Amino acid sequence: MSQVMERINNFGVMAKPSSSVCNIDCTYCFYLEKEHLYPERKKRWRMDNTTLENYIRDQIQSQKSDVIDFVWQGGEPTLLGVDFFRQAIAFQQQYRGYKTITNSLQTNATLLDEEWALFLKEHQFLIGVSIDGDRISNDTYRLSRKGKSTFDDTLRGLALLKKHHVDFNTLTVVNAENVKRPLNVYAFLKRIGSQYMQFIPLVERKAIVPDRDGLILIQPTFDGESNLAEWSVPAKAYGKFLNTIFDHWVQQDLGKIFVMNFEQTMSQLAGRPGACVFSETCGNGLAMESNGDVYSCDHYVYPEHKLGNVNETSLIELVNLPQNLKFGEDKLTNISTDCHQCEVRSVCHGGCPKHRFEASSDGLLNRNYLCDGFKSHFSHAVPKMSHTLGLLSQQVPIKKIKQDIKKSFYS
């Protein structure tokens, strides 16, 4: 029996207090159409105070950890206004007891102003800014509802965060356009002051006919006719994108710039937990809608994956429901037969189940679409990462590690 089938005591919740409501209209956003699942959301899209209080109290009480992380996403959570989060802070202080509370918020940054920046700094929020690169890359798919550029507004919001010394990182969706220019994207993010970057691959399928819930962007188990969305990143190109950035990073920016994709792989190699995408099992990263509905995963907000509601059932009960334990276990049991003998399985574990829709060698549709890209990247980077970890364990200075890496692998 694998670890996920045992009781889950530590878990995360991605809270979406504004649900799918957003002030911009990203072409590729898989969450905007979730409004079909909640048709009443057009009038009642905000998380109410009762749900907010129940969630915060239960999140604190359900976790055994002394540090409780609150992750706020959307849609666009800043649409709720600063006062919503002031109330969230008040509830956190009311129920925290001896525990330490942290808050992170993912935003497109276009609505940030002085009031927001002062509040975020005062309460030490970590801000994730969604930006896909320079103006050309960002405005390919991240436009306003009127079809206009969002680039300048995002940079204006980012400037406010820097002015008030608010900690931030950047989340870049790697898509069919920006994947062609890895070093341009990386250099741009450095120029705007990002010292912690995430490069998330974009993979979506579009149903020829909407499913029974009215959704076009489909989940892996959809067995109707579909096509790969035109904005999806080609698998091999994604591997090349990561490798190109990695080669520059490991020689020039190791110890200065933190790239989630590389840092978490190195954590796995060092025997520490990495990203859920590359874990053997999953099921401990819940998603919660604004009305308190809880799902097994942010990428599985579909009726069949609803676990319950935080206003009725505690999070610790929901995360340990047989339905959710099986969801996490399925990541391991439904791994592609091609993965069993793969040389990078120990750091990949078949990737996210959402992307397992291609035919494996045995004919089953459970091979990860990004497999070729992952294999290319891990085969290229892991030897250099392992070498780096060995030098770090010997307390070799970063400057000398970079010199050694360059001499050993790039001469």
Side-chain angles (χ1 to χ4, degrees), residues 7-11 13 52-70 91-101 310 313-317 319-320:
R7 184 172 177 82
I8 297 175
N9 292 314
N10 294 303
F11 58 92
V13 180
L52 179 63
E53 181 174 10
N54 287 341
Y55 163 55
I56 288 175
R57 181 184 61 248
D58 193 69
Q59 168 80 325
I60 293 170
Q61 294 176 352
S62 287
Q63 302 279 4
K64 285 194 172 183
S65 173
D66 290 340
V67 179
I68 310 298
D69 301 315
F70 285 88
F91 285 140
Q92 289 172 353
Q93 293 306 308
Q94 179 180 346
Y95 294 110
R96 64 186 292 265
Y98 64 87
K99 297 185 177 183
T100 299
I101 303 295
V310 75
T313 311
S314 72
L315 291 167
I316 193 66
E317 291 180 76
V319 78
N320 282 289

Side-chain angles (χ1 to χ4, degrees), residues 37 207 209-219 222 302-304:
L37 301 178
V209 178
D211 70 8
R212 63 180 182 275
D213 298 307
L215 303 180
I216 293 292
L217 298 178
I218 55 176
Q219 62 167 309
F222 180 81
Y302 302 96
E304 54 267 47

Side-chain angles (χ1 to χ4, degrees), residues 26 30 35 48 102 145 164 209 220 257 328 357 379 389 397 399:
C26 297
F30 72 94
E35 64 185 20
D48 60 42
T102 71
R145 292 190 172 277
H164 292 281
V209 178
I257 302 294
F357 54 79
S379 297
L389 287 170
K399 183 177 180 180

Side-chain angles (χ1 to χ4, degrees), residues 184-326:
N184 285 349
V185 171
Y186 181 74
F188 169 79
L189 295 175
K190 284 176 62 176
R191 285 199 304 274
I192 63 174
S194 178
Q195 293 183 307
Y196 192 100
M197 307 173 186
Q198 304 176 54
F199 296 107
I200 308 300
L202 176 61
V203 181
E204 297 289 348
R205 291 186 298 158
K206 299 168 68 175
I208 301 300
V209 178
D211 70 8
R212 63 180 182 275
D213 298 307
L215 303 180
I216 293 292
L217 298 178
I218 55 176
Q219 62 167 309
T221 55
F222 180 81
D223 57 4
E225 189 176 358
S226 65
N227 294 314
L228 190 70
E230 59 272 20
W231 51 77
S232 297
V233 62
K236 291 182 179 179
Y238 180 62
K240 183 178 180 181
F241 177 94
L242 290 180
N243 287 343
T244 302
I245 292 177
F246 176 82
D247 288 341
H248 178 89
W249 171 82
V250 76
Q251 296 178 78
Q252 304 294 329
D253 294 328
L254 181 69
K256 295 189 299 183
I257 302 294
F258 297 89
V259 180
M260 182 203 72
N261 308 68
F262 311 148
E263 301 290 341
Q264 292 193 337
T265 301
M266 292 180 76
S267 290
Q268 282 184 275
L269 293 172
R272 298 188 297 270
C276 66
V277 173
F278 299 121
S279 296
E280 190 174 35
T281 56
C282 57
N284 60 351
L286 305 178
M288 187 183 71
E289 282 287 314
S290 64
N291 69 346
D293 284 350
V294 177
Y295 294 82
S296 291
C297 173
D298 176 42
H299 291 291
Y300 282 79
V301 177
Y302 302 96
E304 54 267 47
H305 294 286
K306 179 181 171 181
L307 300 174
N309 190 286
V310 75
N311 292 304
E312 302 165 357
T313 311
S314 72
L315 291 167
I316 193 66
E317 291 180 76
L318 294 175
V319 78
N320 282 289
L321 286 175
Q323 173 188 345
N324 188 59
L325 297 178
K326 184 179 184 302

Side-chain angles (χ1 to χ4, degrees), residues 52-124:
L52 179 63
E53 181 174 10
N54 287 341
Y55 163 55
I56 288 175
R57 181 184 61 248
D58 193 69
Q59 168 80 325
I60 293 170
Q61 294 176 352
S62 287
Q63 302 279 4
K64 285 194 172 183
S65 173
D66 290 340
V67 179
I68 310 298
D69 301 315
F70 285 88
V71 180
W72 308 98
Q73 292 212 3
E76 176 49 47
T78 60
L79 284 169
L80 294 160
V82 177
D83 285 344
F84 175 88
F85 290 95
R86 288 198 178 101
Q87 182 62 71
I89 294 293
F91 285 140
Q92 289 172 353
Q93 293 306 308
Q94 179 180 346
Y95 294 110
R96 64 186 292 265
Y98 64 87
K99 297 185 177 183
T100 299
I101 303 295
T102 71
N103 287 278
S104 61
L105 184 147
Q106 188 68 36
T107 176
N108 58 43
T110 62
L111 300 178
L112 297 181
D113 56 18
E114 290 282 341
E115 182 184 16
W116 265 112
L118 288 168
F119 169 81
L120 296 171
K121 178 60 179 177
E122 178 186 359
H123 297 287
Q124 299 180 313

Side-chain angles (χ1 to χ4, degrees), residues 299-368:
H299 291 291
Y300 282 79
V301 177
Y302 302 96
E304 54 267 47
H305 294 286
K306 179 181 171 181
L307 300 174
N309 190 286
V310 75
N311 292 304
E312 302 165 357
T313 311
S314 72
L315 291 167
I316 193 66
E317 291 180 76
L318 294 175
V319 78
N320 282 289
L321 286 175
Q323 173 188 345
N324 188 59
L325 297 178
K326 184 179 184 302
F327 173 84
E329 179 75 0
D330 283 347
K331 186 174 192 287
L332 173 62
T333 58
N334 193 36
I335 195 169
S336 163
T337 188
D338 299 337
C339 292
H340 291 296
Q341 302 301 320
C342 180
E343 62 271 20
V344 300
R345 180 183 174 180
S346 62
V347 289
C348 175
H349 292 298
C352 180
K354 177 186 177 181
H355 300 148
R356 295 179 181 179
F357 54 79
E358 290 204 329
S360 183
S361 59
D362 60 2
L364 295 178
L365 299 177
N366 61 356
R367 182 178 185 268
N368 197 302

